[in-house]
Amino acid sequence: MAQRFKDVDWIGLFLWLFRAAIIVLVLWGTVAKIFFGAGNAYSASDWIDFFVSGLSQGSLYALIALGYTLVYGVLFMINFAHGEFFMSGTMTATVFIALPLSASGFLDRNPIIGMLIILVVAMSISVGVALLTERIAYRPLRRAPRLVPLITAIGASFFWQYFFRGLYGSSLIPFPELQALQGKFSFWGVDILKTRAVVIVSSVIMLIGLYFFVMRTKTGKAIRAVAEDKDVAALMGIDVDRTIAITFATGAAMAGAAGILYGLVFRQVHFFMGFVPGIKAFTAAVLGGIGSIPGAALGGLFLGVIEAVGPPLFLEGLGIPGGHQLKDVIAFTMLVLVLIFRPQGIIGERLAEKKA
Amino acid sequence: MALLEVDNVHAYYGNIHALKGISLTVEEGEIVSLIGGNGAGKTTTLRSISGLLSPREGTITLRGEDLRQYKAHQLVSKGVAMVPEGRGVFARLTVEENLQMGAYHRSDRDGIAKDMRRVYQLFPRLEERKGQVAGTMSGGEQQMLATGRAMMSRPTLLLMDEPSMGLAPVLVEAIFQTIEEINKEGTTILLVEQNAHMALQIANRGYVLQTGEIVLQDSAKSLQQNAMVQKAYLGID
Ligand SMILES: Nc1ncnc2c1ncn2[C@@H]1O[C@H](COP(=O)(O)OP(=O)(O)O)[C@@H](O)[C@H]1O
Ligand SMILES: [Mg+2]
């Protein structure tokens, strides 16, 4: 008897109860909200609004998450400086391009050309910062134990934060507002803020473009080959170091673009702006299964939507007030849940199989 | 001048002295077999030639040109290709994508398409499965793929590391037949094997490697007759 008592897997039991409790709470809150109208009353268009704002936030997470996933795919390393790639391009393009273009009126006269210039500059700076970081901080550690580049990445992240704080100061810098993007579009009677529509559409285009780049082009195939086996890739004539650098650059370009879209939505930039979106995007990448590109995209969208819809739905249903301030709690609870119960991510494959 | 000349190569893993002065030559058009037991240094020898590993000492030349000045990825365009131990197919790439990777350094579309047809002719099985992800194929099919992929670079010198490893006898037979065929079409082959019986049967010459040293070298025929080889590698008493 005593023996059998000891065999009870207490941790397993606790985790099982924990999971059951979360599911019950979410369902309870949802049911309370939908059938008993707990909390505020929302109209159908309010719900659509929550959902669309979630999609727009989520598509930003998705774009940033690609960088984590691509780099993890080739190096099995979490690049914690990725949020700073996002920040560096955005701040530089805002200070040197967006604000002057806006002040001179050029941006409102030629919004498309203006935005393209801003986008290209942001992406280029992000790529430059990523390439420098890779070359100086990561490449020399290619053969070091895995914890070493991870810690270096955290160091690199601090370095770039304070570097750009030194350059641009520590105050909030406004991102110019585009006249062309004020107001709403109306689709089949549903009103959507123009900025959100632009963010969603351009993110989706970039996500699809990136998917084709990785799946169809020669360079994309080389990236996948390097992700699987660096020695064999080299035997094929693939320059592994160069391909890894291209992988960093690709992720950083997406982050730079995401930064400008972020500027359009939140209309301010800041040296610390990479931190929270970076961690959220990392969460999204883990949710989708880190290493998987469709996973990063879906993980990002899913996280964005659940952050936006979760508080009015099950948090208010549970009688928790001010739910919107708790969206970070939802995001990180999900990260913890996924790490405990499904570390391969929602649609990802098992990491253990790939490499450990 | 021999096609490949390896002279007095010493290689280390940390403090482990894995190759203790290996010298061997491969003439144009030959099949040369390097036989030896587990841990003798066969793989290390091939990795040194293909640039994946940098020996501490010694020279490696291809038609007189020093190969050690190049990185691994630069050697493909010099005409060196390798079928790695355990086949090393890209498991999550399709069969066709794997073959395309073999031709990575080339840009002659027509030539690549022609070589791809040739590989499919040699291994019809690969054509049937060209859209399939390589990781889901059997060991024999993966070996065909790894061989076909190496052929896609149009190598002058093909290094093969234990192609028969883990394959059923019928498949081993087939693989060695293909190796002979590839050789007849003009590719020189340095073949590493534990399966000394088959390896010596198709080879012109052979080397016997023991704990990082070449202990014997001769024509394949004489090695098959050699008492020590028979006892240690052919299972004949
Ligand atoms: N990555 C490695 N690290 C340390 N020692 C190694 C490594 N690879 C091979 N060795 C050692 O080098 C020697 C030769 O190995 P290898 O060339 O793989 O032999 P073979 O291919 O003939 O079986 C062996 O003693 C092996 O233990
Ligand atoms: Mg070996």
Side-chain angles (χ1 to χ4, degrees):
Chain A
M1 265 321 257
Q3 186 54 41
R4 185 183 290 176
F5 192 68
K6 249 200 258 171
D7 282 349
V8 175
D9 178 0
W10 290 106
I11 293 176
L13 185 67
F14 172 76
L15 287 179
W16 190 87
L17 286 175
F18 184 59
R19 172 159 44 175
I22 295 273
I23 292 172
V24 166
L25 280 177
V26 168
L27 285 180
W28 185 349
T30 307
V31 168
K33 183 77 197 181
I34 293 176
F35 295 103
F36 305 104
N40 301 325
Y42 297 111
S43 66
S45 91
D46 288 334
W47 285 111
I48 292 174
D49 220 43
F50 293 140
F51 184 75
V52 172
S53 87
L55 273 188
S56 122
Q57 186 61 34
S59 53
L60 292 182
Y61 293 155
L63 283 179
I64 307 170
L66 284 173
Y68 286 101
T69 254
L70 284 168
V71 165
Y72 186 86
V74 293
L75 289 181
F76 299 101
M77 164 200 168
I78 309 292
N79 173 24
F80 278 116
H82 187 61
E84 272 49 68
F85 301 170
F86 161 86
M87 170 275 290
S88 58
T90 314
M91 283 200 81
T92 307
T94 304
V95 171
F96 287 107
I97 312 291
L99 291 176
L101 282 188
S102 168
S104 70
F106 179 90
L107 196 54
D108 280 323
R109 269 179 279 123
N110 307 291
I112 295 182
I113 299 177
M115 280 310 292
L116 281 180
I117 297 174
I118 295 170
L119 212 55
V120 166
V121 170
M123 290 165 87
S124 312
I125 298 293
S126 291
V127 167
V129 168
L131 290 178
L132 270 177
T133 311
E134 192 275 328
R135 185 68 192 83
I136 295 171
Y138 301 159
R139 195 179 299 182
L141 301 173
R142 195 81 26 96
R143 288 176 196 283
R146 284 220 264 163
L147 197 56
V148 176
L150 196 74
I151 292 166
T152 307
I154 295 171
S157 172
F158 283 124
F159 173 81
W160 288 120
Q161 274 176 23
Y162 289 96
F163 181 86
F164 284 98
R165 177 183 153 155
L167 275 184
Y168 305 130
S170 58
S171 49
L172 289 170
I173 299 170
F175 189 89
E177 190 169 4
L178 266 78
Q179 279 166 11
L181 290 184
Q182 282 166 357
K184 298 179 173 185
F185 289 126
S186 205
F187 299 100
W188 304 288
V190 177
D191 288 337
I192 295 175
L193 285 176
K194 284 184 181 175
T195 44
R196 283 181 186 157
V198 165
V199 167
I200 295 171
V201 169
S202 29
S203 304
V204 168
I205 291 173
M206 279 187 277
L207 290 170
I208 292 174
L210 181 100
Y211 188 73
F212 273 89
F213 169 69
V214 173
M215 295 312 286
R216 293 291 159 81
T217 65
K218 190 167 168 174
T219 309
K221 290 172 193 171
I223 289 176
R224 288 189 286 141
V226 168
E228 283 206 40
D229 192 327
K230 289 174 193 53
D231 278 353
V232 180
L235 288 176
M236 301 295 113
I238 296 168
D239 185 339
V240 173
D241 280 339
R242 190 168 156 268
T243 305
I244 290 172
I246 291 172
T247 308
F248 272 90
T250 308
M254 294 286 141
I260 294 306
L261 297 176
Y262 177 97
L264 280 179
V265 175
F266 295 97
R267 295 225 299 283
Q268 59 192 26
V269 298
H270 179 237
F271 80 97
F272 201 58
M273 68 184 279
F275 183 70
V276 172
I279 294 191
K280 293 284 183 68
F282 168 66
T283 304
V286 173
L287 276 177
I290 193 152
S292 153
I293 291 171
L298 292 178
L301 293 175
F302 183 68
L303 184 64
V305 168
I306 207 125
E307 268 188 2
V309 176
L313 190 62
F314 49 79
L315 288 190
E316 282 190 18
L318 289 169
I320 299 172
H324 270 294
Q325 285 147 32
L326 294 177
K327 66 185 173 53
D328 293 357
V329 175
I330 294 185
F332 297 126
T333 306
M334 292 222 309
L335 176 62
V336 171
L337 289 179
V338 168
L339 285 176
I340 294 174
F341 295 113
R342 216 178 142 77
Q344 71 269 40
I346 298 170
I347 63 168
E349 46 200 310
R350 288 181 183 284
L351 289 181
E353 241 169 28
K354 251 167 60 183
K355 203 151 273 186
Chain B
M1 183 196 309
L3 177 65
L4 175 75
E5 281 186 46
V6 174
D7 188 39
N8 190 34
V9 162
H10 289 262
Y12 292 78
Y13 295 102
N15 288 328
I16 302 170
H17 196 174
L19 297 183
K20 302 164 185 159
I22 298 284
S23 300
L24 59 85
T25 59
V26 180
E27 301 288 339
E28 197 109 30
E30 275 189 315
I31 298 182
V32 171
S33 288
L34 183 61
I35 60 178
N38 224 341
K42 305 182 298 297
T43 298
T44 308
T45 306
L46 291 194
R47 288 172 66 86
S48 303
I49 299 170
S50 63
L52 288 178
L53 188 148
S54 188
R56 202 175 285 181
E57 217 182 292
T59 58
I60 301 169
T61 59
L62 191 77
R63 293 197 177 114
E65 189 186 14
D66 172 26
L67 288 188
R68 292 193 52 198
Q69 60 179 312
Y70 300 112
K71 295 192 178 145
H73 71 266
Q74 296 168 319
L75 284 177
V76 193
S77 46
K78 297 286 160 196
V80 181
M82 175 153 140
V83 179
E85 187 173 61
R87 336 199 198 288
V89 300
F90 298 116
R92 283 180 293 169
L93 268 57
T94 65
V95 168
E96 186 146 275
E97 286 171 339
N98 267 278
L99 294 177
Q100 288 166 352
M101 288 296 103
Y104 184 81
H105 74 288
R106 298 169 59 182
S107 47
D108 55 324
R109 280 167 176 268
D110 296 343
I112 294 174
K114 184 167 155 259
D115 289 355
M116 185 97 68
R117 281 197 298 277
R118 175 71 189 122
V119 169
Y120 285 148
Q121 205 178 3
L122 213 53
F123 305 108
R125 202 49 178 275
L126 294 184
E127 184 160 28
E128 288 163 27
R129 317 218 147 180
K130 65 182 172 188
Q132 188 175 325
V133 172
T136 60
M137 299 203 305
S138 72
E141 289 163 345
Q142 291 191 13
Q143 185 59 55
M144 294 175 198
L145 180 56
T147 310
R149 184 179 64 182
M151 294 311 295
M152 289 301 295
S153 70
R154 282 202 186 164
T156 350
L157 175 66
L158 179 58
L159 311 171
M160 302 190 82
D161 197 346
E162 302 207 38
S164 76
M165 189 202 270
L167 296 187
V170 200
L171 290 173
V172 174
E173 198 92 29
I175 276 290
F176 277 97
Q177 240 165 36
T178 322
I179 296 173
E180 277 188 293
E181 206 166 321
I182 292 169
N183 174 253
K184 283 207 188 81
E185 285 171 15
T187 307
T188 306
I189 291 169
L190 176 56
L191 174 64
V192 152
E193 264 299 341
Q194 288 198 48
N195 186 339
H197 179 68
M198 292 299 288
L200 290 177
Q201 210 156 347
I202 65 166
N204 304 95
R205 292 186 302 113
Y207 291 84
V208 178
L209 194 60
Q210 261 173 19
T211 56
E213 284 173 288
I214 299 228
V215 293
L216 210 57
Q217 64 182 83
D218 212 331
S219 72
K221 281 227 169 58
S222 328
L223 285 179
Q224 282 174 312
Q225 306 305 322
N226 183 291
M228 187 279 262
V229 174
Q230 287 188 344
K231 190 163 152 48
Y233 302 105
L234 296 175
I236 304 169
D237 279 311

